[in-house]
Amino acid sequence: MTAQRSTLVAPMPRPGDHVRLVSPASFPSRELVAETTAVLESWGLVVEIGAHALDRRGFMAGRDEDRLADLDDAFRDPAVRAVIATRGGAGAYRIADDLDFAAVLADPKPMVGFSDITALHLALWRHCGLAGIHGFLAGSRSAAATRRLLMDGEPAVLHRDPRAMTIAAEVPGTASGALVGGNLGTVAHAVGVGLPSLAGTILFLEAERTMGLGQIDRQLTQLIRSGALDGVRGIALGRFPGFEDFTDRGWTLVDVFKDRLGSLNVPVLGGIDVGHGPDPLSLPLGPAAVLDTEAGTLSVEPAVR
């Protein structure tokens, strides 16, 4: 496994800079691309669309080699100052470890995306230590949060959502370390095929319900039994929509978290309003972070400089 590097923070895009929309996973609708383009242009950015961003092949945005080519073209082009995924879905995991990492290191630029784009964030962190943004552009709250992280270079201070069910799974304490992670399923499926070392990090996890509690239990157990969570300093739990009122034979999502994460003996913070669902907040991935359950905050250094 490639040795983990110190965090590489890319320059922030500024008004007039070019950004590239790419589709490394599933294909977007033309309406979504138009909406995303309008948001970015309202920030004063010049939007380019990857050559294969609207391709279709099954559930993916075209062939693996074409999706990879769009990513590499974006990272190699000196005029492009940020790479933005049109959506998640499925397929980014197929190409994540084939990126031109030498080009990324030669001219670092932030990657923006979430869900299946977690595979790219993990690969860019593993090979380059590159900071990125777990971000979303649909919805005014999400767009504003992403803009602050991408174009103002602001740190993120996320406060626990007092309505979130995951608060009941908290383990008290404080922790500090680089913040890594994203979608739970994508992180778990990277075990044995490119998951970076998580030792010394704070791990952020989010997911939406597509199956039952067993799915979450299997993914967390895979991470624990593989040793992937050895040395993790803390866990931050984002959104888990669909599980709020879901019960399986007397257990809820909170019971699964208590049973699995409680065995790690590290602080667990719930209620971070980042992930799937309407208008989530955004989060830097890669920079130094501090988790504090007493204050109910996750503070993260800027993803760009």
Side-chain angles (χ1 to χ4, degrees), residues 222-235:
Q222 170 78 357
L223 288 168
I224 292 168
R225 294 186 64 188
S226 69
L229 300 189
D230 293 352
V232 164
R233 293 180 179 173
I235 307 286

Side-chain angles (χ1 to χ4, degrees), residues 213 217 246-257 259:
L213 296 177
D217 186 76
F246 185 79
T247 302
D248 186 351
R249 286 157 282 192
W251 264 28
T252 68
L253 180 66
V254 169
D255 294 304
V256 175
F257 282 147
D259 184 79

Side-chain angles (χ1 to χ4, degrees), residues 54-160:
L54 290 167
D55 286 3
R56 297 191 177 198
R57 182 173 183 265
F59 49 80
M60 293 174 290
R63 302 182 305 166
D64 292 352
E65 54 265 42
D66 291 333
R67 301 196 318 281
L68 178 61
D70 273 6
L71 277 169
D72 283 342
D73 287 347
F75 279 112
R76 291 167 182 162
D77 189 336
V80 173
R81 300 321 311 156
V83 184
I84 299 171
T86 60
R87 59 161 298 174
Y93 49 83
R94 288 185 172 213
I95 60 176
D97 282 325
D98 295 322
L99 281 166
D100 184 349
F101 296 109
V104 175
L105 289 168
D107 183 19
K109 53 199 77 173
M111 178 87 214
V112 181
F114 81 118
S115 193
D116 193 57
I117 307 306
T118 296
L120 298 177
H121 287 305
L122 291 172
L124 289 165
W125 170 252
R126 177 184 179 226
H127 291 275
C128 306
L130 181 67
I133 296 174
H134 184 289
F136 196 53
L137 292 173
S140 58
R141 182 172 181 253
S142 295
T146 300
R147 188 195 183 286
R148 286 193 298 271
L149 299 182
L150 182 65
M151 297 192 67
D152 295 338
E154 290 188 4
V157 181
L158 291 109
H159 296 264
R160 173 200 293 127

Side-chain angles (χ1 to χ4, degrees), residues 115 183 206-211 215 239-241 243 276-277:
S115 193
N183 180 258
E206 61 84 25
E208 61 179 342
R209 186 169 78 86
T210 56
M211 296 176 65
Q215 175 190 27
R239 289 183 175 184
F240 286 82
F243 284 103
H276 287 76

